[in-house]
């Protein structure tokens, strides 16, 4: 049969498949919204109960006021956690992050989220829950707005064009965007008429905003500050600390400037975990982590790269 007479048939088939996919996306979206709503409600109930218990302990004189002052920020930061993986280049930290994200299958053992083996979960469902700030970010030849929303494009239609602003502000990408002639609608592709380009650091902020816009419960930063200067790097790590509220952040780096913000630090060497603890614990303990000085005397730029000193 000549292909030119199949137009109506192919159009009907495409429409049927599109409607089926749309119905499935709506069903999955409703389930995700229900799970998120239930989780937020339970988290709110637990936090409220903790605050009530804290007030009762204070009223009964069983807890000193100073201790309660320490407990309140601890409660407020208990919705999320920043975990840092630090190692020399080639030690396997990026590979480990891809295994944890379900992008690679482990050669042995298993990876679990909340006691659920990732090998038993649909990979698309796993990826839906992850946002990644990669050191090799993509520079899409689109507007600044679309470069941010491309990781969660359906959200733009639901929340509107201004939904990108909080993510841009959180990563300070809004500073670079505000200097563009058409703001968020400026085409970021110099090869086109009226197109503009950004510096490496500005593109990295756009990539960070793209990951934040996804609002995924797990955020992985794989060397997210490679193109940033010292001040911008410090601000980025502070922002990552703030973004940890309500989610888990996995920070991978061989530059220890931002590791102070992490709740837990794992030191890797040749594919194995060498040590773990908080920044203060690892510095006190000595070893490979403590052998790296945070900065040179009189310098504000972190010089820290995880390097073994001596034989």
């Amino acid at each position: 049969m000549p292909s030119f007479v199949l137009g109506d048939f192919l159009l009907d088939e495409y429409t049927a498949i599109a409607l089926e996919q749309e119905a499935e996306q709506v069903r999955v979206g409703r389930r995700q919204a229900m799970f998120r709503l239930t989780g937020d409600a339970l988290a709110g109930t637990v936090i409220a109960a903790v605050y009530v218990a804290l007030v009762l302990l204070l009223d009964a004189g069983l807890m000193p006021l100073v201790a309660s002052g320490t407990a309140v920020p601890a409660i407020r930061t208990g919705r999320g956690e920043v975990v840092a993986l630090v190692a020399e280049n080639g030690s396997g930290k990026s590979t480990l992050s891809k295994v944890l994200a379900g992008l690679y299958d482990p050669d042995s053992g298993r990876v679990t989220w909340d006691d659920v083996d990732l090998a038993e979960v649909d990979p698309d469902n796993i990826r839906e829950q992850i946002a990644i700030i990669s050191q090799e970010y993509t520079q899409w030849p689109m507007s600044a707005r679309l470069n941010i929303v491309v990781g969660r494009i359906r959200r733009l239609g639901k929340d509107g064009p201004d939904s990108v602003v909080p993510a841009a502000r959180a990563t300070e990408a809004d500073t670079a965007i505000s200097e563009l002639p058409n703001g968020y609608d400026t085409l970021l592709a110099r090869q086109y008429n009226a197109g503009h380009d950004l510096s490496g650091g500005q593109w990295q902020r756009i990539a960070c905003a793209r990951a934040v816009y996804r609002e995924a419960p797990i955020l992985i930063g794989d060397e997210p500050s490679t193109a940033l200067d010292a001040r911008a790097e410090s601000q980025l790590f502070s922002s990552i600390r703030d973004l940890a509220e309500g989610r888990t952040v996995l920070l991978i780096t061989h530059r220890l400037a931002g590791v102070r913000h992490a709740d837990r630090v794992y030191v890797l060497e040749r594919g194995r975990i060498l040590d773990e603890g908080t920044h203060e614990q690892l510095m006190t303990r000595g070893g490979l982590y403590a052998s790296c000085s945070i900065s040179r005397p009189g310098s504000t730029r972190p010089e820290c790269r995880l390097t073994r000193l001596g034989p």
Side-chain angles (χ1 to χ4, degrees):
M1 181 181 294
S3 60
F4 58 80
V5 301
L6 295 176
D8 292 340
F9 169 76
L10 293 176
L11 183 60
D12 291 341
E13 286 294 304
Y14 176 83
T15 301
I17 294 173
L19 290 175
E20 183 179 350
Q21 290 181 340
E22 182 180 5
E24 179 66 13
Q25 290 173 357
V26 170
R27 185 185 66 81
V28 173
R30 286 175 176 171
R31 289 187 61 187
Q32 289 178 340
M34 181 60 67
F35 283 131
R36 181 174 297 180
L37 179 62
T38 303
D40 290 345
L42 290 175
T45 301
V46 171
I47 292 176
V50 172
Y51 277 119
V52 170
L54 185 61
V55 171
L56 293 177
L57 289 173
L58 284 172
D59 186 62
L62 299 177
M63 175 181 286
L65 185 60
V66 175
S68 66
T70 304
V72 170
I75 294 171
R76 294 181 63 184
T77 57
R79 295 177 59 198
E81 184 177 34
V82 176
V83 178
L85 301 179
V86 295
E88 296 176 304
N89 288 333
S91 296
K93 55 186 183 297
S94 294
T95 301
L96 177 59
S97 72
K98 291 179 174 62
V99 171
L100 295 177
L103 301 178
Y104 291 172
D105 292 328
D107 294 331
S108 61
R110 64 192 189 117
V111 179
T112 62
W113 287 8
D114 297 330
D115 296 325
V116 177
D117 192 339
L118 293 191
E120 303 173 357
V121 181
D122 183 353
D124 288 339
N125 289 338
I126 298 174
R127 294 166 192 148
E128 188 71 16
Q129 308 302 316
I130 298 173
I132 298 179
I133 306 174
S134 174
Q135 54 184 319
E136 298 178 356
Y137 46 84
T138 301
Q139 302 177 16
W140 295 99
M142 302 184 293
S143 69
R145 190 188 316 276
L146 289 179
N147 260 280
I148 294 176
V149 307
V150 69
R152 189 77 78 186
I153 194 69
R154 291 192 299 272
R155 184 184 164 195
L156 181 65
K158 182 181 68 172
D159 296 341
D162 291 337
S163 60
V164 303
V165 176
R169 287 177 178 170
T171 56
E172 295 193 349
D174 63 326
T175 302
I177 294 174
S178 65
E179 297 174 353
L180 296 172
N182 297 316
Y184 287 91
D185 295 319
T186 303
L187 177 63
L188 300 183
R190 189 173 292 277
Q191 64 267 34
Y192 296 103
N193 292 333
H196 289 260
D197 199 3
L198 301 175
S199 68
Q202 290 171 330
W203 269 115
Q204 196 152 34
R205 291 179 185 276
I206 293 288
C208 293
R210 184 183 304 153
V212 173
Y213 188 78
R214 280 183 60 81
E215 290 190 335
I218 296 181
L219 173 63
I220 298 177
D222 186 2
E223 302 284 4
S225 62
T226 52
L228 301 180
D229 57 34
R231 184 190 67 84
E233 180 183 50
S234 177
Q235 291 175 341
L236 174 62
F237 285 132
S238 296
S239 298
I240 288 176
R241 170 71 269 179
D242 296 336
L243 293 171
E245 184 177 354
R247 72 184 76 187
T248 297
V249 177
L250 179 62
L251 178 62
I252 303 160
T253 183
H254 61 258
R255 302 168 65 176
L256 306 190
V259 174
R260 292 175 180 268
H261 300 278
D263 299 298
R264 284 188 288 164
V265 180
Y266 290 89
V267 182
L268 275 64
E269 186 180 44
R270 298 176 183 175
R272 296 181 178 273
I273 295 178
L274 186 68
D275 205 351
E276 66 92 11
T278 64
H279 168 77
E280 291 76 15
Q281 290 171 341
L282 291 171
M283 291 298 293
T284 302
R285 196 176 300 159
L288 178 61
Y289 184 92
S291 68
C292 180
S293 62
I294 298 302
S295 61
R296 293 177 179 173
S299 173
T300 58
R301 175 161 181 81
E303 295 292 338
C304 198
R305 289 178 179 268
L306 196 67
T307 306
R308 179 179 291 280
L309 303 181

